[in-house]
Amino acid sequence: MKVNYPAIDVHSFSTEEILNSFQTNAESGITNSDAQKRTKQYGLNSYKAQRQKSIWLMILQQFANPIMYLLFFGVAVSVYLEDYVEAIAIAVVLILNALIGFFMELQARNSMNALKAMDVIFSKTIREGKTQELASEYITVGDIVVLEAGDIVPGDGYIIELNQLQVDESPLTGESLPSTKILEKLPIDTVMADQSNMVFKGTNVVNGNAKVVITAISSHTQLGKITSLVESAKETVTPLDKKLKSLSTILILLTLSLTILFAITGLIQGKDWIEIIKTSLALSIAAFPEGLPVVATVALAYGVIVMAKHHAIVKKLSSVETLGSTNVILTDKTGTLTENTIYVQVVNFPEEKIEVNIQNKELVFTKNKIEKSKENFDKIQLIGLLCNNATIEQTTNEVTKNIGDPIEIALLQLANTSQELSQKDFKRQYERIAEAAFNSETKIMGTLHNSPNGNLVAAKGSLEHLLRKCTKIQFGPTIKDLEEDEKNAILLQSDQIAAEGLRILAFAYKNGGELNKDNFLNDLIYVGTIGFLDPPRLDIKPSILLCKNAGIKVVMITGDHPQTALNIAKKVGLIDETDQNVITGKDLSSIKSITEEWKNKILSTYVFARTTPKQKLDIAEIYQKEGNIVAMTGDGVNDAPALKKADVGIAMGVRGTQVAKEAASIVLVDDSFKSIVLAVSQGRSIFLNIQKFVIYLVSCNLSEIFIVITLSFITVNAVLLPLQILFINMVTDVFPALALGLGKGDESVMKDVPKNPKEAIISTKKWIDISFYTFAISVSAISAVLYSKYYLLADDKIANNVAFLTLAFAQLFHVFNMSAVGSRLVINDVTKNKFIWLAILICTALMILVYVVPQMRLVLNLVVPSTNVLVVSGLASLLPLVLGQIYKKIWNR
Ligand code: ATP
């Protein structure tokens, strides 16, 4: 039978009909070659391949902006005046400008595409009998996909096995309550919202797990059908965009008024009106903040690529700016502050405690041997094997591939040390009938099995939570009632283990009993606790110190035991050795209303333990209400609301569920706290780069206007010519400005406090800086002209050339004034930026070119400079740099 695709009304099929029509097998899935054939035939499982703007449209759009209109106008005026050389020259400038804009936009687009390619969702798929993590793009019809809480459904699918499956279908239906799924054939006329035997692409599994046959992919899915209608390249406006826009408006108004001032004074002076129009045009073009939005995008795109190299994938561009303002990081512990390479270290039975190590699949006792608790240990190993969703797969002789929660993988490794349990088909004897999936609210996982010896309940979880479900306790071969004081003694012992920094997991079970699939976690027998070693990441101590110096508060909020949390917090330098201050989830839930006292207590605590995701959200809100900018990490399905609520939601790439990744604005590839701090410092650098770009460009542009206006009063004939202004503007300021936008930043960015997110790109203080730089550049060019005219007695053309040369090089050297505040004179972020040197090289080469090529000299009205001219212009052009450095030293003191 051939696959009939797209198949309709699959919800009315039986499991057998589904498996038959899609030619697949519930246990082994389809074969790899089948999958390839189907992908070829039905396409990839992605409708997101966005229709991108064509290259031609991108080029054309470069011409549709105010500066281009001005240039076109300039060409028209020159043609009208029959000054064809000038018309061609302006046309060249126009094309150059468009090309630069185009290449920058292309660069930004490529970077963003590269980022999008990293944002892939993987799904557990069974093919040829093996479970593998497959990028959902490659999932095809007939694939068997295993879904768990936290997964995003990769395609529409028919459920063939399930365990308490609940799916949040709000992305599709808008319905906020999760839909409970069933195994059943439904009438053909059942509407989509009621098709409870199906799962749909793009929806989130919030509870339980299931196995499904994929019945539709990409545009044939329910989501695909709507998305293809609404999918359009919706560009969101970020706060940065808004700030850039208002800055542009200020600059345009400033330029216009100065230009009008220039024109009016010129007319009053009785100058040639054609010259006035041309110069005004050149001035307004010169001072127009043309590259602003594009450079900001390029700086952002470049910055996020650098972030990606440092393991932080940015999903929302606006979050980069927010990162720079972040002053509180609420981080979880496992995997972020610890290695998340988990090993069994201590096993604590009711009667004795042992320490173990697994070497080459052999159990080695490092302290004490089991004497009284053999039965307890056997049970712990069995529970660890059965109450487990991870897999260890032998890929080659030596290499194994682990999929799943590291704690569960460690338990499989423990089970594998037992001869009986390590047998390949042992697990099959215990058919799993139901599962109470682990979640960070209940902190327990349980499974119900049917075995030759009757029913068995296997459960593991946080000690406090599991003990509440236990009524009995096992002492070797005997089982007794669990007394309250025994419970307390067990809790006390585990506190000691936790205080060593070990993660604690308790184990319990029950034989026989009634088969109630929905409620089997009760009357359990407690058998023991395992302490897992999860060492702190040693490389993050400096990152935490860096945060402290950068005015960023780091708070740990974990689901783990308070003592474990405190121990790790101390080891990574989050709190002092003597600090015992920890607030637990229990403390938080006892609060009726947040009093001032509680609020202060919460705000002054650095470690929160045994919290639920809801409490994480509450803590974030308390911080936000106090005006803080909060970055928050999360991994579980229940963390999604907190990740969305935080100013920057950070999901864990390795440990994180797909739902958490989808809700976050940043995904950490390596889960490490270090990457968060690198991302924050990158966020700050990007903002500073954009700021430097603006300060540099605006001070250069304004100085051009001032020089022209001033010279037109003092020595009319030496005034810069329109084409000279255009040339300086296109050459000497654009390249260094761009290079500033691509700076890497340095450690100094983390020495300052976070910036206020409401602050404009250019604060009042920065406007004062700009005014000073404008003044310094203007003074240098004007005094060079005056010196050559009145001291060297140069003629007007030479004086004009001096103005041109001085301004061009003064602007080039001025780029070194843009180094970070308080940085060293010679070695700083600007001198270390290779793009700056490249820009200087390009600009100098172009300057030499215009002097060497006679035609260009002619167009720009230049003569080969004498030594005098070179010396005067050379020295004068260094003046803004010298003045700038003195200014920075004095002003910043
Ligand atoms: P963090 O919040 O810092 O990531 P965490 O991973 O310990 O820390 P949770 O995932 O909420 O936080 O786990 C809380 C507790 O639940 C753990 O301390 C452990 O006792 C228990 N637990 C963790 N994983 C499992 C699991 N797979 N099955 C059963 N219980 C688990």
Side-chain angles (χ1 to χ4, degrees):
M1 189 181 181
K2 221 174 153 325
V3 181
N4 218 351
Y5 186 73
I8 46 165
D9 299 329
V10 282
H11 60 276
S12 65
F13 290 23
S14 68
T15 303
E16 215 176 280
E17 284 165 339
I18 281 284
L19 293 171
N20 269 334
S21 4
F22 286 89
Q23 294 190 312
T24 184
N25 180 296
E27 297 308 318
S28 56
I30 53 176
T31 62
N32 285 326
S33 71
D34 248 353
Q36 265 175 8
K37 273 186 225 147
R38 292 183 191 193
T39 304
K40 212 165 173 187
Q41 198 173 351
Y42 310 125
L44 285 174
N45 179 25
S46 76
Y47 49 76
K48 270 195 175 162
Q50 283 184 359
R51 276 157 275 139
Q52 289 196 318
K53 248 195 264 177
S54 81
I55 295 285
W56 289 112
L57 186 65
M58 256 166 89
I59 295 180
L60 267 182
Q61 280 181 344
Q62 303 303 322
F63 294 95
N65 67 47
I67 183 134
M68 288 297 184
Y69 305 148
L70 284 177
L71 285 167
F72 278 122
F73 184 61
V75 175
V77 171
S78 308
V79 171
Y80 176 74
L81 298 172
E82 296 183 7
D83 191 345
Y84 298 114
V85 177
E86 193 160 286
I88 291 171
I90 301 178
V92 170
V93 168
L94 195 147
I95 290 168
L96 255 177
N97 205 339
L99 280 182
I100 292 179
F102 165 71
F103 281 115
M104 288 201 296
E105 199 178 318
L106 196 66
Q107 163 74 29
R109 182 164 103 174
N110 290 343
S111 312
M112 294 322 296
N113 284 348
L115 273 181
K116 268 193 208 129
M118 290 182 216
D119 184 19
V120 185
I121 288 175
F122 289 88
S123 300
K124 273 194 208 133
T125 314
I126 302 177
R127 278 190 191 164
E128 299 190 350
K130 288 191 184 132
T131 309
Q132 44 186 306
E133 297 265 7
L134 211 65
S136 62
E137 208 184 10
Y138 298 106
I139 284 171
T140 189
V141 285
D143 261 328
I144 305 286
V145 169
V146 179
L147 296 172
E148 278 179 17
D151 285 355
I152 292 178
V153 180
D156 288 0
Y158 184 96
I159 304 167
I160 53 171
E161 275 175 32
L162 94 176
N163 253 312
Q164 300 177 326
L165 185 70
Q166 285 190 310
V167 183
D168 166 13
E169 293 184 340
S170 57
L172 195 60
T173 58
E175 170 58 53
S176 58
L177 282 179
S179 136
T180 303
K181 298 293 178 180
I182 49 161
L183 274 184
E184 204 174 314
K185 180 173 164 171
L186 292 173
I188 196 155
D189 55 357
T190 315
V191 294
M192 189 201 80
D194 296 334
Q195 290 176 7
S196 44
N197 59 352
M198 297 284 300
V199 287
F200 302 103
K201 185 179 169 87
T203 57
N204 313 326
V205 180
V206 289
N207 193 30
N209 47 39
K211 217 186 220 187
V212 304
V213 177
I214 297 297
T215 53
I217 55 167
S218 63
S219 55
H220 290 127
T221 61
Q222 297 294 341
L223 187 69
K225 283 179 201 156
I226 11 174
T227 337
S228 49
L229 293 180
V230 292
E231 183 96 348
S232 62
K234 252 189 273 149
E235 308 268 335
T236 43
V237 182
T238 68
L240 184 66
D241 289 335
K242 281 191 207 143
K243 286 181 192 169
L244 286 172
K245 230 188 173 118
S246 67
L247 179 68
S248 289
T249 317
I250 297 177
L251 290 176
I252 290 170
L253 289 178
L254 193 67
T255 313
L256 276 182
S257 31
L258 286 173
T259 317
I260 291 171
L261 182 78
F262 165 78
I264 293 174
T265 46
L267 287 176
I268 294 172
Q269 282 178 317
K271 280 182 216 153
D272 178 13
W273 66 273
I274 291 181
E275 268 316 304
I276 291 179
I277 288 187
K278 280 207 227 160
T279 313
S280 307
L281 210 61
L283 279 183
S284 34
I285 289 168
F288 233 77
E290 68 276 16
L292 210 54
V294 183
V295 167
T297 320
V298 173
L300 275 176
Y302 182 75
V304 293
I305 289 288
V306 175
M307 281 192 192
K309 281 193 192 134
H310 288 134
H311 301 137
I313 294 173
V314 175
K315 298 179 58 193
K316 242 171 55 194
L317 265 196
S318 60
S319 55
V320 174
E321 197 197 348
T322 323
L323 262 183
S325 308
T326 298
N327 65 342
V328 177
I329 301 177
L330 304 180
T331 175
D332 55 7
K333 172 186 69 69
T334 311
T336 317
L337 302 178
T338 66
E339 303 251 3
N340 208 21
T341 43
I342 291 181
Y343 304 103
V344 177
Q345 175 152 334
V346 173
V347 190
N348 196 30
F349 305 110
E351 288 179 291
E352 59 191 336
K353 184 172 133 189
I354 57 162
E355 285 186 24
V356 293
N357 204 333
I358 298 171
Q359 288 170 4
N360 293 331
K361 298 188 186 168
E362 296 275 329
L363 192 69
V364 180
F365 292 90
T366 50
K367 197 169 168 193
N368 306 341
K369 282 216 154 111
I370 300 179
E371 286 172 7
K372 303 180 190 157
S373 318
K374 173 150 184 349
E375 288 78 3
N376 293 54
F377 190 56
D378 290 346
K379 277 280 156 17
I380 288 183
Q381 281 183 307
L382 179 67
I383 299 166
L385 174 74
L386 298 179
C387 184
N388 197 317
N389 286 333
T391 54
I392 297 184
E393 209 174 86
Q394 196 92 18
T395 43
T396 58
N397 275 350
E398 288 303 317
V399 186
T400 52
K401 198 169 161 221
N402 305 331
I403 300 181
D405 183 346
I407 227 172
E408 296 193 342
I409 290 166
L411 289 175
L412 288 184
Q413 285 162 348
L414 182 72
N416 282 342
T417 62
S418 144
Q419 269 191 353
E420 192 192 358
L421 304 192
S422 61
Q423 282 167 19
K424 222 172 168 193
D425 49 356
F426 181 85
K427 210 172 162 178
R428 288 226 183 100
Q429 298 171 21
Y430 287 83
E431 187 201 351
R432 192 188 279 191
I433 319 168
E435 175 186 338
F438 171 78
N439 72 48
S440 30
E441 301 276 349
T442 60
K443 295 191 177 14
I444 296 179
M445 169 179 175
T447 45
L448 177 59
H449 303 263
N450 194 349
S451 79
N453 314 327
N455 295 329
L456 173 81
V457 173
K460 67 183 199 302
S462 124
L463 182 64
E464 306 93 292
H465 294 81
L466 196 68
L467 277 181
R468 281 182 221 140
K469 308 269 180 197
C470 295
T471 47
K472 297 203 170 58
I473 178 167
Q474 178 151 357
F475 292 100
T478 21
I479 294 171
K480 294 201 310 200
D481 284 343
L482 177 62
E483 307 294 338
E484 210 46 43
D485 54 344
E486 273 165 343
K487 272 191 192 179
N488 292 337
I490 294 168
L491 285 169
L492 209 67
Q493 278 173 0
S494 78
D495 276 357
Q496 285 162 5
I497 303 175
E500 291 165 28
L502 301 184
R503 294 193 78 192
I504 307 282
L505 196 65
F507 294 80
Y509 76 102
K510 179 168 72 171
N511 277 326
E514 272 176 49
L515 247 183
N516 183 349
K517 283 189 188 178
D518 297 321
N519 187 14
F520 54 87
L521 284 176
N522 42 37
D523 294 329
L524 302 179
I525 308 163
Y526 170 77
V527 275
T529 305
I530 291 186
F532 296 86
L533 183 68
D534 179 18
R537 290 180 187 251
L538 291 178
D539 58 344
I540 57 169
K541 215 171 178 174
S543 305
I544 288 187
L545 193 67
L546 211 61
C547 285
K548 284 185 180 163
N549 292 337
I552 301 169
K553 181 172 176 186
V554 183
V555 177
M556 177 203 279
I557 307 183
T558 174
D560 213 339
H561 193 287
Q563 292 301 327
T564 318
L566 277 175
N567 179 292
I568 299 291
K570 285 176 192 168
K571 284 194 179 137
V572 298
L574 199 77
I575 52 172
D576 293 339
E577 279 301 323
T578 52
D579 197 343
Q580 285 298 332
N581 187 17
V582 51
I583 296 183
T584 64
K586 214 168 149 193
D587 300 334
L588 291 174
S589 50
S590 71
I591 308 176
K592 301 254 155 24
S593 68
I594 303 275
T595 56
E596 195 63 19
E597 191 192 338
W598 260 114
K599 191 184 81 188
N600 292 336
K601 202 167 164 194
I602 288 172
L603 290 175
S604 58
T605 298
Y606 287 80
V607 180
F608 293 82
R610 285 286 189 242
T611 51
T612 62
K614 167 77 178 64
Q615 291 169 334
K616 269 177 151 181
L617 181 76
D618 294 342
I619 298 171
E621 265 175 358
I622 291 176
Y623 270 102
Q624 282 176 322
K625 273 199 190 128
E626 294 295 300
N628 297 290
I629 305 293
V630 177
M632 171 152 211
T633 65
D635 50 14
V637 54
N638 298 334
D639 286 334
L643 289 174
K644 279 201 182 127
K645 179 81 191 38
D647 299 283
V648 187
I650 304 172
M652 300 300 142
V654 185
R655 243 173 341 123
T657 53
Q658 293 163 5
V659 174
K661 288 183 206 169
E662 199 66 12
S665 39
I666 289 179
V667 177
L668 296 186
V669 179
D670 60 353
D671 291 11
S672 170
F673 184 79
K674 195 173 163 191
S675 309
I676 304 179
V677 180
L678 281 167
V680 169
S681 94
Q682 195 61 36
R684 288 186 177 194
S685 299
I686 293 174
F687 182 81
L688 286 179
N689 285 346
I690 295 174
Q691 195 180 50
K692 281 177 188 174
F693 165 86
V694 173
I695 296 178
Y696 176 77
L697 208 62
V698 172
S699 49
C700 286
N701 292 349
L702 286 183
S703 65
E704 285 157 26
I705 303 186
F706 275 108
I707 293 169
V708 170
I709 294 182
T710 318
L711 287 184
S712 73
F713 279 111
I714 324 178
T715 160
V716 180
N717 297 325
V719 171
L720 287 168
L721 301 172
L723 278 183
Q724 290 175 335
I725 298 173
L726 282 185
F727 179 83
I728 288 184
N729 203 43
M730 292 317 300
V731 175
T732 37
D733 45 10
V734 170
F735 292 107
L738 272 181
L740 283 172
L742 300 182
K744 276 214 177 78
D746 61 6
E747 340 58 85
S748 66
V749 295
M750 292 299 271
K751 285 188 183 140
D752 225 345
V753 292
K755 78 177 172 63
N756 177 352
K758 295 205 184 88
E759 199 178 285
I761 296 182
I762 303 296
S763 60
T764 317
K765 184 176 178 302
K766 295 293 175 201
W767 275 114
I768 298 176
D769 289 355
I770 291 179
S771 313
F772 180 82
Y773 295 138
T774 305
F775 167 78
I777 300 173
S778 308
V779 164
S780 78
I782 294 164
S783 44
V785 172
L786 294 181
Y787 181 84
S788 47
K789 200 164 157 66
Y790 297 109
Y791 196 79
L792 300 178
L793 303 177
D795 65 16
D796 283 338
K797 187 164 178 173
I798 300 292
N800 161 279
N801 279 207
V802 168
F804 175 75
L805 258 183
T806 310
L807 181 58
F809 280 101
Q811 291 191 349
L812 263 194
F813 296 141
H814 171 48
V815 78
F816 295 108
N817 280 331
M818 297 297 115
S819 57
V821 173
S823 60
R824 279 173 294 173
L825 195 63
V826 181
I827 297 171
N828 55 46
D829 54 327
V830 173
T831 53
K832 279 195 283 189
N833 177 348
K834 57 180 191 292
F835 295 110
I836 291 284
W837 295 104
L838 185 68
I840 291 183
L841 204 73
I842 294 175
C843 292
T844 315
L846 285 170
M847 284 298 284
I848 294 174
L849 194 75
V850 290
Y851 275 99
V852 172
V853 180
Q855 287 81 0
M856 293 187 103
R857 276 207 306 270
L858 198 72
V859 173
L860 288 172
N861 199 36
L862 300 175
V863 287
V864 178
S866 65
T867 321
N868 269 347
V869 168
L870 279 180
V871 171
V872 172
S873 314
L875 286 177
S877 59
L878 281 170
L879 193 65
L881 180 57
V882 177
L883 290 179
Q885 293 300 321
I886 296 172
Y887 166 81
K888 274 173 82 173
K889 282 267 162 325
I890 296 173
W891 180 235
N892 291 318
R893 205 173 275 167

